[in-house]
Amino acid sequence: MSNIIEKNVDLLKKANVYFDGRVTSRNYTDKDGVVKSLGVMLPGEYTFNTKAPESMEILGGKVEVLILSGLDNNWETYGAGETFEVPGNSSFEIKVLELADYCCTYLS
Amino acid sequence: MSNIIEKNVDLLKKANVYFDGRVTSRNYTDKDGVVKSLGVMLPGEYTFNTKAPESMEILGGKVEVLILSGLDNNWETYGAGETFEVPGNSSFEIKVLELADYCCTYLS
């Protein structure tokens, strides 16, 4: 995990709620002005669309991910401490096998 | 809601997970050193024990709460923008009628 505590952040109190609350997150801006969100995904299968490119750090749990861009699409498995990147203006499918705790960084 | 954005906080990245993920939260320390957590509760009925006294601000959703201390215990309903306080070393029962988004402040 990159940092256990993120210091000096601006934290939005209201939660983002997706899929009837099976995925929730809260946005914050880190000390360098980078927008991130910390979230939890309950077991299930979800599809997300991206605007900005995203870096997804899995803090806990286990997921399988299929990034829907390019020609060579394969499901990949990620666990605690692992990160995957998703291009902007694309989408990805995620199968959450074990409750997943994550940090998403919006890349610009 | 007291503040939409909490500025200059130290945010713990790892989530707290209760009741198989139906209640999750993340802890942070605000700019004055007060420990708080932002969480989400999916519909259901839960019991929580307190150590420190807590102030629970409901940011969204609808809950019914029974605080298990004192003689005069009644279920009370709270919605967005409302707050209830729970004594230390006690417990409370909460029925989440609609997905609830909350901010818990640990009072000392």
Side-chain angles (χ1 to χ4, degrees):
Chain A
M1 196 178 315
S2 54
N3 293 302
I4 293 175
I5 298 180
E6 285 256 49
K7 290 192 174 271
N8 283 322
V9 312
D10 292 343
L11 176 61
L12 202 59
K13 289 176 79 175
K14 201 91 184 70
N16 307 309
V17 176
Y18 311 99
F19 304 106
D20 282 330
R22 295 193 64 81
V23 178
T24 58
S25 68
R26 277 185 167 90
N27 291 1
Y28 66 101
T29 306
D30 79 5
K31 63 181 178 1
D32 301 315
V34 177
V35 177
K36 300 182 180 180
S37 70
L38 280 169
V40 172
M41 292 183 280
L42 299 191
E45 232 179 300
Y46 314 102
T47 301
F48 289 98
N49 299 311
T50 64
K51 286 181 193 169
E54 296 178 8
S55 172
M56 284 282 287
E57 179 190 6
I58 303 300
L59 305 172
K62 193 173 173 187
V63 301
E64 288 179 357
V65 177
L66 177 65
I67 295 170
L68 301 167
S69 69
L71 293 172
D72 188 25
N73 294 327
N74 293 298
W75 287 93
E76 302 282 352
T77 303
Y78 299 94
E82 295 183 310
T83 295
F84 60 92
E85 301 213 346
V86 187
N89 299 312
S90 67
S91 66
F92 64 98
E93 290 181 22
I94 187 162
K95 291 179 192 169
V96 179
L97 307 178
E98 295 166 16
L99 183 143
D101 185 6
Y102 69 90
C103 181
C104 177
T105 301
Y106 299 95
L107 309 169
S108 52
Chain B
M1 195 177 318
S2 55
N3 292 301
I4 292 175
I5 298 179
E6 284 256 48
K7 291 195 173 270
N8 284 320
V9 312
D10 292 344
L11 176 61
L12 202 59
K13 288 177 79 176
K14 199 91 184 71
N16 306 309
V17 177
Y18 311 99
F19 304 105
D20 282 330
R22 296 194 63 81
V23 178
T24 58
S25 68
R26 278 188 167 87
N27 292 1
Y28 67 101
T29 306
D30 79 6
K31 64 183 179 355
D32 301 315
V34 177
V35 177
K36 302 182 180 181
S37 69
L38 281 169
V40 173
M41 293 183 280
L42 299 190
E45 231 179 302
Y46 314 103
T47 302
F48 289 98
N49 300 310
T50 64
K51 288 181 192 168
E54 296 179 6
S55 172
M56 284 280 287
E57 178 190 6
I58 302 299
L59 304 172
K62 193 173 174 189
V63 300
E64 287 179 356
V65 176
L66 177 66
I67 294 170
L68 301 167
S69 70
L71 294 171
D72 188 27
N73 293 327
N74 293 298
W75 287 93
E76 303 282 352
T77 303
Y78 300 94
E82 295 183 310
T83 295
F84 60 93
E85 300 213 347
V86 187
N89 299 311
S90 68
S91 65
F92 64 98
E93 290 182 23
I94 187 162
K95 291 180 192 167
V96 179
L97 307 179
E98 295 166 17
L99 183 143
D101 184 6
Y102 69 90
C103 181
C104 178
T105 301
Y106 299 94
L107 308 169
S108 52

